[in-house]
Amino acid sequence: MCDDWDDNAPIEMPQGNYENRPICSQNFSNSNFRAARGNGRNNERNTRFQRNNRYNNSYGNGENSSNRSDGLYRNNRFKENKTSWGNSSNMTENDQTETINVPSKFIGRIIGRGGSKINELQSDSGAKIQVTKDIIGDDTVVKIFGNQDSIDKAKSLINSLTTDTTEMVRINSNPPPLQEEKKVVDWKTLLKECEEAEQAEWDKYPQIKKQFYVEHPEVTDLTEEEVQLFRQENNNIVVDRTFKKENSLPIPKPCPKFIHAFFNYPEILSEIEKVGFQTPTPIQAQAWPVLLSGEDLIGIAQTGTGKTLAFLLPALIHIDGQPGNRSERGGPAVLVMAPTRELALQIDKEVKKYYYRGITSVCVYGGGNRREQVKTVTDGVDIVIATPGRLNDLYEAGHLNVKTVTYVVLDEADRMLDMGFEPQIRKVMYAIRPTRQTVMTSATWPPGVRRLADSYMNDPIQVYVGSLDLAATHTVTQIIEMMPDDDEIKLQTLMDFVRNMSPDQKMIVFCGKKSRADEISSELVLAGIDCQSIHGNREQSDREQALIDIANGTVKILIATDVASRGLDIDDITHVLNYDFPKNIEEYVHRVGRTGRAGKLGESISYFTRNDWGQAKDLINILEEAQQEIPHELHNMAERYTVWKEKKDSSGRGTGRGRGGFGGRRW
């Protein structure tokens, strides 16, 4: 507008016809402009009246309602208090009028923002709707104009806006309906009906066969003292029922030899001989009789102790032993979940080492060719190894039928929970039949893993090798190098070590960031040193090639983030170097476990700076348990951190600089 309107000025009715008079013209001269204003403020008020009149007419007709100003709205609705929402000006002789009462708290729903909802209601019903100012108790009177069909349609639409509450629109001519008595829900009955319906659904599928174990005579002859001696001498195997229950079956004795577990399965024994293993590892010796007996198992052991083979060979026997033709089952019998692509691929590689009666497998993971994975799954496969994300993708899309699964493995369960995969795991586990056989492997036993086991396992037997306390493998020498917080010094120290490596040595260098891994890789290449790198930003094909290159010796150095800290089974890694110390001690243990595998010796080197002082105490515990040398500076750092933490907890904020409490001191 050309003038600043005074919205608080009283509005006077205009005289004459102003319908075609322009509000303001760009070509007005000064004299014309003065003339246009007329006597005093009349024209200005007339113009404002026209604007208000256009505004009032827009509601109910849906014309330009979004172009009103807030000031005008307040003027009309609250200042003048002369109009209501809606329009009744276009009635015909045949139109009827009906009045309804609507709870006042729902009027905003009927009007909508800027009158958008009331316009929509009028458009959909064909009736004219007017929200009046009349209040009756807690209700507001709403008038509806039109033929009977449009009125009924409008009432139905208005009622639908309040269906989420117990209060409904009440017609004036009808008394308020009596409140229905609240019904008491019998949850026990509903739960029982739900369980019966679920059981009826699962009864449509063939029964699961789990018992495949026949105890070898030599195992039967073992006395209880001999069994305890064997467990003690094999890295202190401890076996027990995880959740104590009455009437549980006795725990099977261990199988010191391959033939003790598989004497009824000569084809399995033949495959083991091809691989060249001599005796079972501790976890395998105890896990095989448990799993072949159909029991649920929780296997807790350090990395590199043969946990994959512990659940794999019983799975092959389980698949072949199920009733019915495998090709007619409609889905896989075995499902293995793993936290990372690398671990999933490693398990798939292990499966393919053992040929047993044509059993097939597929590895599905994010970053792989989804179309090919879908085709393989839908064509029919016995074992699916999957990361939780891609597994949920295929399941929700209907490509993977998990109702046929009878044997489930949660490998590296602690790592999957650390990575936030618990919702995906629970969603899939809920869709699998409850009578399945379930295996869970883990390197640690945190509360989250225990909770998962309690939810999805049936009276499981827990087999753990060594101790439930976090510990690094004893076949690795752990060296801690106290290092200044200086990237140039750290990089130069790494370069010096790499140049002195012998031809038969291989090393994984762990970094905390992807960018750091790329930076170190570039520096090594520029220095003429061949290496590979693996982290989450690399293409899957590049990640797979990096593992192939380090495994076959094409390169001797692999630069990696924690994506490679678990599940990689490369037997001849001689050194692990923690360029950046991990943020938690569990990851340190898993990094160390990449070397010293299959009984071989290894060496772990960690650059430890004052930024890492929060891990000093836990690291000391790991080193003491493995009887490793502990730098004196590490003890000092742990003590300073403890003092700083106590002060911080008592005062609510930290003291010092939070970087080891050393100020400007350097090592």
Side-chain angles (χ1 to χ4, degrees):
M1 296 300 174
C2 293
D3 295 313
D4 292 327
W5 302 108
D6 182 3
D7 287 335
N8 294 319
I11 298 178
E12 300 178 7
M13 295 297 293
Q15 302 297 323
N17 183 9
Y18 289 85
E19 187 173 345
N20 298 317
R21 179 178 296 178
I23 295 174
C24 180
S25 172
Q26 296 284 347
N27 299 321
F28 273 1
S29 65
N30 290 339
S31 59
N32 290 337
F33 181 78
R34 286 192 298 271
R37 291 182 62 87
N39 295 326
R41 296 171 55 87
N42 287 340
N43 284 351
E44 176 185 338
R45 294 170 181 168
N46 292 342
T47 303
R48 188 165 71 248
F49 173 83
Q50 286 180 300
R51 181 175 63 176
N52 290 349
N53 195 42
R54 285 196 301 273
Y55 166 76
N56 292 336
N57 288 336
S58 68
Y59 282 93
N61 293 329
E63 299 175 359
N64 302 324
S65 61
S66 61
N67 296 328
R68 77 191 190 285
S69 70
D70 290 338
L72 291 174
Y73 169 71
R74 290 192 301 271
N75 217 10
N76 283 307
R77 189 71 176 95
F78 299 108
K79 296 289 185 181
E80 298 180 29
N81 204 20
K82 291 181 180 181
T83 62
S84 301
W85 290 89
N87 194 332
S88 60
S89 61
N90 296 325
M91 290 182 61
T92 65
E93 294 181 358
N94 296 326
D95 283 347
Q96 305 175 32
T97 303
E98 191 162 333
T99 301
I100 62 175
N101 292 356
V102 177
S104 298
K105 62 182 179 180
F106 298 133
I107 291 299
R109 295 187 184 184
I110 297 174
I111 297 173
R113 186 169 185 175
S116 59
K117 191 62 182 180
I118 199 169
N119 290 337
E120 180 184 329
L121 294 173
Q122 292 182 131
S123 175
D124 291 346
S125 65
K128 307 300 178 184
I129 302 172
Q130 183 181 28
V131 179
T132 72
K133 304 181 298 300
D134 299 333
I135 305 297
I136 301 177
D138 293 332
D139 296 345
T140 296
V141 176
V142 176
K143 293 182 178 180
I144 306 176
F145 308 91
N147 58 44
Q148 191 59 49
D149 289 342
S150 61
I151 290 175
D152 291 342
K153 177 66 174 177
K155 288 195 295 182
S156 176
L157 292 173
I158 293 174
N159 275 325
S160 68
L161 295 178
T162 58
T163 54
D164 59 329
T165 68
T166 57
E167 297 189 54
M168 299 297 292
V169 176
R170 297 187 289 274
I171 302 175
N172 283 351
S173 57
N174 297 327
L178 296 175
Q179 267 191 331
E180 295 184 5
E181 292 185 7
K182 293 183 179 179
K183 296 181 179 180
V184 178
V185 179
D186 188 351
W187 290 108
K188 289 185 178 180
T189 302
L190 289 177
L191 182 59
K192 183 179 179 181
E193 292 174 354
C194 179
E195 290 174 348
E196 290 174 352
E198 184 180 14
Q199 184 60 46
E201 179 66 24
W202 288 121
D203 286 343
K204 299 176 183 177
Y205 292 84
Q207 293 296 311
I208 301 175
K209 183 180 178 181
K210 298 181 181 180
Q211 174 58 257
F212 301 99
Y213 183 60
V214 178
E215 193 173 69
H216 193 279
E218 292 181 5
V219 176
T220 304
D221 292 340
L222 290 175
T223 65
E224 190 62 32
E225 291 75 16
E226 290 173 327
V227 168
Q228 293 301 326
L229 181 62
F230 174 83
R231 289 171 176 165
Q232 186 176 355
E233 291 177 346
N234 283 267
N235 206 5
N236 191 28
I237 302 172
V238 179
V239 187
D240 200 3
R241 293 279 178 180
T242 308
F243 311 109
K244 307 294 183 182
K245 295 184 179 180
E246 296 181 359
N247 303 322
S248 295
L249 295 174
I251 297 174
K253 298 176 182 179
C255 294
K257 300 178 182 178
F258 290 117
I259 195 170
H260 291 161
F262 305 111
F263 71 95
N264 280 336
Y265 306 97
E267 294 169 76
I268 294 288
L269 288 173
S270 176
E271 293 299 311
I272 293 173
E273 290 176 3
K274 290 179 184 178
V275 178
F277 293 137
Q278 300 301 316
T279 57
T281 65
I283 186 70
Q284 293 167 357
Q286 186 61 71
W288 283 334
V290 171
L291 291 175
L292 290 172
S293 298
E295 299 273 8
D296 286 3
L297 172 76
I298 300 172
I300 301 176
Q302 298 168 349
T303 57
T305 54
K307 286 181 289 187
T308 302
L309 202 61
F311 66 72
L312 173 58
L313 296 185
L316 298 178
I317 296 171
H318 176 96
I319 293 169
D320 185 64
Q322 297 309 304
N325 193 323
R326 293 209 308 264
S327 61
E328 298 175 356
R329 290 175 185 167
V334 172
L335 173 64
V336 182
M337 282 184 260
T340 65
R341 307 172 191 176
E342 283 69 29
L343 179 54
L345 288 167
Q346 182 66 45
I347 296 170
D348 187 46
K349 180 181 176 182
E350 197 71 17
V351 171
K352 288 178 169 54
K353 287 182 182 179
Y354 301 91
Y355 178 81
Y356 185 68
R357 303 191 177 182
I359 290 175
T360 57
S361 68
V362 64
C363 184
V364 297
Y365 53 91
N369 189 313
R370 186 178 185 276
R371 181 175 297 178
E372 291 182 3
Q373 294 173 3
V374 169
K375 184 179 185 305
T376 304
V377 168
T378 53
D379 286 348
V381 68
D382 299 305
I383 303 174
V384 171
I385 303 110
T387 53
R390 179 53 59 91
L391 174 64
N392 269 268
D393 173 24
L394 299 185
Y395 164 66
E396 292 181 349
H399 300 305
L400 178 61
N401 179 17
V402 298
K403 292 184 179 296
T404 61
V405 172
T406 56
Y407 188 102
V408 180
V409 180
L410 304 177
D411 198 18
E412 299 282 9
D414 53 345
R415 176 65 167 162
M416 285 196 284
L417 296 187
D418 288 344
M419 297 173 70
F421 286 133
E422 185 170 355
Q424 291 91 333
I425 294 171
R426 289 187 176 274
K427 182 180 291 185
V428 173
M429 293 295 285
Y430 180 77
I432 301 174
R433 66 172 74 187
T435 54
R436 64 187 174 263
Q437 186 173 2
T438 308
V439 185
M440 182 184 294
T441 74
S442 180
T444 58
W445 185 235
V449 176
R450 184 181 179 88
R451 183 177 64 249
L452 202 64
D454 192 24
S455 299
Y456 297 109
M457 304 188 81
N458 178 30
D459 195 16
I461 294 175
Q462 186 179 68
V463 178
Y464 59 91
V465 179
S467 171
L468 279 178
D469 296 328
L470 193 64
T473 176
H474 289 198
T475 59
V476 177
T477 301
Q478 302 174 59
I479 300 173
I480 308 299
E481 292 192 13
M482 309 308 293
M483 189 75 59
D485 188 17
D486 189 315
D487 287 340
E488 291 185 5
I489 295 177
K490 289 173 71 174
L491 182 59
Q492 188 57 50
T493 306
L494 171 63
M495 287 290 191
D496 293 340
F497 181 88
V498 169
R499 291 191 178 99
N500 291 317
M501 287 177 61
S502 61
D504 61 339
Q505 293 179 334
K506 287 184 183 180
M507 179 171 66
I508 300 179
V509 179
F510 283 105
C511 306
K513 297 180 180 178
K514 304 168 191 175
S515 58
R516 180 68 58 81
D518 287 336
E519 177 186 343
I520 294 174
S521 300
S522 299
E523 292 293 339
L524 290 175
V525 171
L526 290 174
I529 301 170
D530 290 336
C531 68
Q532 267 284 16
S533 67
I534 178 172
H535 56 71
N537 281 355
R538 297 206 70 190
E539 294 290 336
Q540 183 60 33
S541 58
D542 294 333
R543 292 167 66 167
E544 293 175 13
Q545 187 61 50
L547 296 179
I548 293 172
D549 289 347
I550 189 68
N552 63 23
T554 301
V555 298
K556 302 292 185 181
I557 302 170
L558 178 67
I559 316 298
T561 56
D562 280 329
V563 73
S565 67
R566 300 194 186 206
L568 293 189
D569 189 11
I570 305 173
D571 290 340
D572 55 352
I573 296 294
T574 59
H575 291 79
V576 164
L577 192 145
N578 292 309
Y579 188 90
D580 296 317
F581 199 83
K583 298 301 181 184
N584 61 72
I585 204 65
E586 288 83 2
E587 281 305 321
Y588 171 79
V589 170
H590 287 289
R591 288 183 182 184
V592 171
R594 295 310 97 203
T595 185
R597 299 177 71 82
K600 297 179 181 179
L601 300 178
E603 186 172 275
S604 167
I605 303 168
S606 301
Y607 296 163
F608 203 91
T609 71
R610 58 186 180 179
N611 279 334
D612 306 314
W613 69 328
Q615 305 294 332
K617 183 177 180 180
D618 290 335
L619 178 58
I620 290 172
N621 294 335
I622 297 295
L623 296 174
E624 287 178 343
E625 193 277 334
Q627 299 180 359
Q628 303 290 315
E629 182 180 350
I630 304 173
H632 179 68
E633 296 93 333
L634 196 64
H635 283 289
N636 293 339
M637 192 178 290
E639 292 172 2
R640 289 189 179 96
Y641 179 79
T642 301
V643 173
W644 175 83
K645 189 74 165 58
E646 290 174 353
K647 290 183 178 179
K648 177 185 176 184
D649 293 341
S650 61
S651 64
R653 60 187 180 88
T655 58
R657 299 176 59 185
R659 290 168 56 87
F662 300 113
R665 175 182 172 184
R666 297 178 64 89
W667 295 102

